[in-house]
Amino acid sequence: MARQIRVVVIFIYLAIFFKVSLARTYSRASIQQEVTNYCLSWRLAVEANNVRAWRTVPMRCLRYVETYMMGGQYEKDLELIMDQVLSYANSIDVAKDGMDAWILDIDDTCISNVLYYKEKRYGCDPFDVAGFKSWATKGQCPAIRPVLRLFNKLINGGFKVILLTGRDNETLGQCTINNVQSQGFVGYERLVMRTAAYKGQSAATYKSEIRRQLVEEGYRIWGNVGDQWSDLQGDFPGNRTFKLPNPMYFVP
């Protein structure tokens, strides 16, 4: 009898133990799913420009952004966008006067800073001006391959490609030229960087002014590609704009 009682007690104890363990596991999974759902919604709002002037990635989205950038989905999104860009570009009848142009941003459009932002917890840390300058000076940003393929197809198709960046010409000029060329971006029409005349201007204001000058020179801007909304907004944005994903930082 005593032995039977002990067996019953053990079974009751195990049943309670497994029930509690299952409840805890379910609770953790539920919490994790809530975080994932929030971060997915946050990234969508960021890419749609419904969330603006944000300074850092929410800390609870660190792993989500890391997984997005490094786990393959970022590359899949880029490939889909490049398919759309090329479909549009192929529909254009390029003139023989050499004035059909495309504009490409540089940082996280042509070349990637994801290795730098990995050390900054994928944007959870505030932007570090000196740290980014030190990183950019090394000239080690790798090409974003889908954009490099687009670049080469545009060049081969007769378009004049203009690289337009907010990088400071005085401090980052030569290292930027060396970086993009070493990564295969060769044959562009010109590379435009921010000079002292545009110091203090927002990216949207500065890039609008450069585009205005290009249009006044006679260029027809058929397309404009960038990872920030400020690359694409303002005056003379081009006939079509294409926003690349970037949940790591926001440039006004």
Side-chain angles (χ1 to χ4, degrees), residues 40-192:
L40 176 60
S41 296
W42 176 83
R43 184 175 67 82
L44 176 62
V46 162
E47 297 298 353
N49 204 30
N50 291 325
V51 175
R52 302 182 183 182
W54 53 278
R55 299 190 52 153
T56 59
V57 172
M59 187 60 66
R60 57 176 158 165
C61 295
L62 167 59
R63 297 305 174 205
Y64 174 86
V65 174
E66 177 182 26
T67 300
Y68 174 74
M69 296 301 300
M70 307 301 288
Q73 187 60 51
Y74 171 67
E75 287 79 6
K76 289 183 175 65
D77 290 351
L78 286 176
E79 292 287 359
L80 187 147
I81 295 169
M82 290 303 103
D83 287 346
Q84 298 299 311
V85 177
L86 285 170
S87 177
Y88 165 66
N90 290 335
S91 72
I92 299 169
D93 186 13
V94 179
K96 296 181 180 180
D97 61 3
M99 302 306 286
D100 291 317
W102 276 73
I103 293 178
L104 303 182
D105 172 53
I106 290 183
D107 283 299
D108 293 300
T109 297
C110 291
I111 54 178
S112 173
N113 294 299
V114 71
L115 296 178
Y116 169 77
Y117 277 96
K118 179 180 179 181
E119 301 302 317
K120 299 297 180 180
R121 297 190 294 178
Y122 297 95
C124 289
D125 294 340
F127 182 67
D128 177 3
V129 176
F132 182 79
K133 179 180 176 181
S134 177
W135 156 258
T137 301
K138 297 176 182 177
Q140 297 177 352
C141 301
I144 296 177
R145 293 295 168 184
V147 180
L148 178 58
R149 289 194 291 272
L150 168 66
F151 172 87
N152 287 325
K153 288 182 179 181
L154 291 173
I155 296 290
N156 294 333
F159 291 101
K160 301 299 182 181
V161 177
I162 297 164
L163 305 183
L164 176 55
T165 176
R167 288 190 177 196
D168 177 64
N169 182 65
E170 182 178 358
T171 57
L172 297 176
Q174 193 58 53
C175 66
T176 300
I177 293 172
N178 294 343
N179 195 162
V180 298
Q181 292 185 350
S182 71
Q183 291 299 309
F185 291 91
V186 178
Y188 51 80
E189 177 75 357
R190 68 180 76 170
L191 192 160
V192 183

Side-chain angles (χ1 to χ4, degrees), residues 229-240:
W229 280 102
S230 54
D231 298 329
L232 313 174
Q233 294 175 322
D235 298 330
F236 308 97
N239 193 56
R240 278 198 65 178

